């Protein structure tokens, strides 16, 4: 019998009575010392204990140092959710460098932009993944990289590839080659860097998904990552040895902080999936006795659909963490009924806040799941005493005047706390624009915060549009069709109009394209339920594949708008 969430938090308070700032590599060292033989990374075919991962990461770190990586250097890694990602990520930290995890969906000049903008001195990349050749990308935008002399990327001196592919050059070192570069001298230098490691140094530069424009490198420190991870452990009430299954990429804070780092506090394990495949995910959950699955709504729907047809042995399954997008009201009951989750959670956060900053409680009921994105996360010792023991707090402001709004009134959400980024790497103007005059980070999201600290999103400021001078919140329109028959997804987007400034378009993804819902009926409901300026002027059908998404499954409406415009003009 697993203990109650309250009892599990009490156990966490006993094991972590006070906060000690540490690097992420120190977290692995501590976990390996406490639980050397416990599994840390589990895959379909492999098992890596904490001791295994510590030894592997140390060898790679020594190899990085022998290759010329200096303290403070930026080391990029372009890799899917393989165990090698975990080893390299910790190796970068052990070497005293800053990790620059790259979205592996990026191509060509998009990768070049991240490498150049981050001043990366080294890159560890997959050679191929899902049919794409990453080394060919380097050949295209950085000829000469194999010899350490790419004119287009003059700072990039070292490249390693994983796994070696059929077209890899003998001059491209593999991870094994990197490990073999370690020497007694680099081992000694590694020990010196570990002893002098600064928890407040930059650990990561993580590039935003870009829902509103070009990607920016969010600067995070080791202490920010560790505080955010512990706040999640405490809020979600981890038991000893929690095992988390996920397909969310570890280059994003969801997979990295909420999963990979969080489990180290309780000697738990991660079960990362490189490619989301619902049948395999359920197989892995049963095989490795996963106690939690972490998904975005698209994945959760697929798992429910698959489990309903296949069945699912949920005797070891405790919690479903479903976040990262809008949810239909019926999803929470389906998670319990079909997947057998005893605890259901949702949350809200962003890269700029290191991880989620609000979360529902595992002992909470459906009211908060249906009506909020969770409450400010309690963090015990990891919180700021000046913020009542929290790692982040929100308020709402008028987006134009920056004046505070009353509690419970909808406005732009702004946030502050010890896990909020100091800004964007090498982007002083964007950094200045991201903060209010009194130092709160502007999220770009519209919502409200009640007196109990529960936050509810109501829209995205930069997804809003003005029709005839009136502000329209797309989410208000979309919510009318959350459970609409025959509809898989509805998105409201604003497009330019010479008379009204902007007009709304309803983009509808049908469940069955052969039997779609009536667009006229949907527009009629809008006209019945909404003020005139909010009613979309047009409606059209799209395929799910036509909707551009971020890595966390959120629609990129700034990219969707021109797609919709083109379809309407065709």
């Amino acid at each position: 019998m697993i203990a109650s969430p309250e009892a599990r938090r009490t156990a966490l308070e006993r094991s972590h009575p006070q906060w000690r700032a540490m690097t992420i590599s120190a977290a692995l060292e501590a976990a390996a010392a406490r639980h050397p033989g416990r599994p840390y990374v589990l895959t379909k075919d492999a098992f890596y204990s904490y001791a295994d991962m510590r030894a592997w990461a140390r060898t790679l770190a020594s190899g990085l140092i022998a290759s010329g990586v200096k303290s403070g250097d930026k080391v990029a890694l372009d890799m899917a959710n393989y165990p090698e990602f975990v080893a390299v990520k910790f190796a970068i930290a052990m070497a005293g460098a800053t990790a620059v995890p790259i979205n592996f969906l990026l191509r060509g000049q998009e990768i070049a932009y991240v490498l150049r903008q981050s001043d990366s001195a080294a890159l560890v990349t997959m050679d191929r993944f899902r049919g794409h050749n990453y080394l060919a990308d380097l050949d295209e935008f950085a000829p000469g990289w194999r010899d350490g002399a790419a004119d287009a990327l003059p700072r990039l001196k070292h490249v390693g590839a994983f796994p070696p592919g059929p077209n890899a050059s003998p001059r491209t070192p593999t991870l094994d080659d990197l490990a073999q570069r370690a020497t007694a001298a680099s081992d000694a230098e590694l020990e010196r860097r570990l002893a002098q490691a600064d928890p407040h140094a930059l650990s990561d530069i993580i590039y935003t998904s870009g829902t509103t424009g070009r990607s920016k490198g969010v600067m995070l420190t080791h202490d920010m990552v560790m505080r955010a991870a512990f706040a999640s452990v405490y809020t979600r009430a981890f038991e000893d040895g929690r095992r988390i299954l996920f397909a969310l990429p570890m280059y994003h804070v969801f997979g990295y902080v909420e999963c990979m780092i969080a489990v180290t506090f309780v000697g738990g394990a991660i079960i990362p999936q490189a490619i989301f495949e619902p049948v395999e995910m359920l197989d892995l959950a049963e095989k490795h006795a996963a106690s939690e699955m972490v998904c975005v709504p698209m994945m959760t729907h697929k798992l429910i659909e698959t489990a309903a047809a296949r069945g699912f042995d949920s005797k070891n399954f405790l919690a479903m963490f479903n976040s990262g997008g809008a949810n239909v009201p019926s999803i929470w009951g389906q998670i319990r009924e079909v997947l057998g989750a005893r605890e259901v959670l949702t949350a809200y956060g962003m890269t700029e806040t290191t991880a989620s900053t609000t979360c529902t409680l595992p002992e909470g009921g459906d009211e908060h799941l249906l009506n909020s994105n969770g409450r400010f996360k309690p963090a015990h010792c990891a919180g700021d005493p000046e913020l009542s023991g929290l790692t982040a707090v929100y308020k709402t402001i008028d987006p134009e005047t920056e004046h505070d709004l009353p509690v419970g009134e909808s406005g732009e959400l702004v946030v502050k706390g010890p896990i909020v980024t100091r800004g964007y790497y090498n982007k002083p103007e964007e950094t200045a624009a991201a903060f209010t005059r009194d130092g709160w980070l502007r999220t770009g999201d519209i919502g409200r915060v009640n007196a109990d600290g529960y936050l509810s999103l109501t829209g995205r400021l930069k997804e809003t549009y003005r029709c005839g001078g009136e502000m329209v919140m797309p989410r208000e329109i979309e919510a009318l069709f959350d459970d609409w028959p025959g509809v898989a997804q509805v998105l409201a987007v604003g497009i330019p109009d010479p008379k009204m400034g902007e007009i709304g378009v309803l983009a509808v993804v049908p469940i069955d394209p052969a039997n779609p819902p009536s667009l006229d009926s949907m527009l009629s409901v809008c006209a019945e339920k909404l003020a005139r300026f909010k009613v979309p002027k047009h409606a059209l059908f799209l395929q799910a594949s036509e909707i551009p998404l971020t890595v966390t499954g959120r629609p990129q409406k700034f990219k969707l708008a021109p797609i919709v415009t083109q379809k309407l003009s065709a």
Side-chain angles (χ1 to χ4, degrees):
M1 260 314 266
I2 191 162
S4 68
E6 294 88 347
R8 280 144 40 199
R9 290 196 193 97
T10 298
L12 288 167
E13 292 167 4
R14 287 197 301 266
S15 61
H16 297 84
Q18 60 184 30
W19 186 249
R20 181 173 68 87
M22 69 176 82
T23 62
I24 65 170
S25 55
L28 176 60
E29 296 276 354
R34 290 193 305 268
H35 312 290
R38 282 193 185 183
Y40 177 34
V41 181
L42 295 166
T43 71
K44 183 178 180 180
D45 304 309
F47 168 107
Y48 298 86
S49 69
Y50 276 94
D52 293 336
M53 191 56 68
R54 174 185 180 273
W56 191 7
R58 275 177 163 260
T59 302
L60 292 174
S62 185
L64 287 171
I65 292 169
S67 299
V69 171
K70 301 178 176 60
S71 292
D73 273 356
K74 314 303 186 297
V75 178
L77 66 163
D78 195 353
M79 199 177 295
N81 280 5
Y82 293 109
E84 285 79 0
F85 180 103
V86 182
V88 173
K89 188 73 177 64
F90 280 115
I92 294 168
M94 289 175 172
T98 299
V100 183
I102 297 177
N103 179 342
F104 55 73
L105 298 177
L106 300 184
R107 299 290 182 260
Q109 290 300 322
E110 296 172 317
I111 300 173
Y113 165 78
V114 173
L115 293 173
R116 188 180 301 111
Q117 206 278 328
S118 65
D119 296 323
S120 288
L123 167 67
V124 179
T125 180
M126 302 177 288
D127 66 343
R128 291 176 183 273
F129 182 66
R130 304 190 78 173
H132 185 74
N133 189 326
Y134 292 83
L135 301 185
D137 274 350
L138 281 167
D139 288 334
E140 179 184 343
F141 65 73
W145 67 269
R146 297 175 191 272
D147 301 310
D151 292 340
L153 296 169
R155 293 181 182 270
L156 187 67
K157 302 300 182 185
H158 316 283
V159 176
F162 155 79
N167 298 322
S169 165
R171 292 176 292 161
T172 304
T174 66
L175 288 188
D176 288 341
D177 295 330
L178 182 63
Q180 290 169 11
R181 289 186 180 184
T183 65
S186 62
D187 287 347
E189 173 63 12
L190 172 61
E191 295 300 332
R192 187 190 70 81
R193 294 188 190 183
L194 288 171
Q196 296 181 357
D198 179 6
H200 302 290
L202 277 185
S203 61
D204 300 273
I205 300 173
I206 301 181
Y207 281 76
T208 59
S209 301
T211 56
T212 56
R214 192 147 197 195
S215 188
K216 302 183 286 291
V218 179
M219 295 186 289
L220 306 178
T221 69
H222 292 270
D223 187 57
M224 290 167 63
V225 169
M226 296 308 299
R227 285 180 186 270
F230 186 80
S232 197
V233 169
Y234 189 74
T235 302
R236 286 151 65 190
F238 280 16
E239 74 284 4
D240 183 54
R242 175 163 289 208
R243 295 186 176 189
I244 304 178
L245 172 61
F246 59 97
L248 298 166
M250 289 185 285
Y251 62 71
H252 188 270
V253 291
F254 212 161
Y256 166 41
V257 180
E258 304 272 6
C259 302
M260 175 186 143
I261 298 297
V263 296
T264 65
F265 284 100
V266 294
I270 57 171
I271 312 164
Q273 218 184 6
I275 300 171
F276 172 66
E277 205 293 312
V279 173
E280 182 180 274
M281 180 170 272
L282 294 175
D283 288 344
L284 287 170
E286 293 171 344
K287 177 179 180 177
H288 293 308
S291 46
E292 181 178 20
M293 287 192 279
V294 177
C295 295
V296 295
M298 176 274 292
M299 296 176 180
T300 303
H301 281 285
K302 292 285 188 183
L303 286 173
I304 290 169
E305 179 182 303
T306 304
R310 160 198 184 279
F312 176 55
D313 180 358
S314 61
K315 63 177 178 291
N316 297 302
F317 185 49
L318 173 67
M320 186 73 188
F321 189 178
N322 174 57
S323 189
N327 288 286
V328 298
S330 58
I331 190 71
W332 310 112
Q334 292 176 329
I335 289 171
R336 291 191 177 93
E337 293 163 15
V338 180
L339 295 176
R342 286 163 278 172
E343 299 174 359
V344 185
L345 303 135
T346 195
Y348 166 70
M350 54 198 301
T351 307
E352 287 87 342
T353 61
T354 309
S356 63
T357 43
T358 71
C359 189
T360 54
L361 300 178
E363 63 268 40
D366 282 0
E367 176 189 355
H368 295 306
L369 290 168
L370 290 167
N371 300 313
S372 81
N373 298 85
R375 56 167 290 181
F376 299 167
K377 290 168 70 172
H380 178 46
C381 60
D384 184 346
E386 294 185 5
L387 299 179
S388 302
L390 302 170
T391 51
V393 295
Y394 289 83
K395 66 178 180 179
T396 57
I397 63 170
D398 181 298
E400 295 184 4
T401 66
E402 294 189 4
H403 292 162
D404 289 359
L405 298 174
V407 172
E409 185 169 328
S410 186
E412 183 180 4
L413 292 162
V414 293
V415 59
K416 71 174 181 179
I419 62 173
V420 175
T421 185
R422 69 182 68 167
Y424 303 110
Y425 185 74
N426 277 351
K427 287 186 178 286
E429 293 182 3
E430 289 87 341
T431 295
F435 291 87
T436 63
R437 290 183 291 271
D438 55 353
W440 292 66
L441 176 74
R442 303 186 70 151
T443 68
D445 287 325
I446 301 295
R448 57 181 177 272
V449 180
N450 70 19
D452 295 327
Y454 277 89
L455 179 150
S456 299
L457 291 177
T458 56
R460 172 77 178 160
L461 183 64
K462 293 181 181 178
E463 289 178 354
T464 59
Y465 59 91
R466 288 189 180 275
C467 181
E470 298 287 348
M471 186 71 75
V472 180
M473 304 285 186
R475 181 61 194 143
E476 185 179 2
I477 303 169
E478 294 159 1
L480 295 175
F481 306 105
D482 278 347
D483 285 318
W484 194 262
V487 169
Q489 187 176 23
V490 173
L491 296 171
V493 61
I495 64 171
D497 180 80
K499 291 184 178 180
M500 305 300 292
E502 293 175 291
I503 54 173
V505 179
L506 206 61
V508 180
V509 178
I511 293 174
D512 181 4
N515 186 28
S518 166
L519 294 180
D520 288 340
S521 295
M522 296 177 75
L523 289 175
S524 294
V525 168
C526 293
E528 177 185 347
K529 301 288 187 182
L530 301 171
R532 185 175 179 179
F533 69 89
K534 298 179 184 179
V535 178
K537 180 76 171 178
H538 304 286
L540 53 76
F541 291 118
L542 292 178
Q543 299 177 39
S545 60
E546 294 180 284
I547 298 175
L549 303 174
T550 70
V551 298
T552 55
R554 295 180 181 179
Q556 293 177 299
K557 291 189 177 177
F558 79 100
K559 291 183 178 180
L560 180 60
I563 294 172
V564 167
T565 302
Q566 183 179 13
K567 282 184 172 291
L568 289 173
S569 62

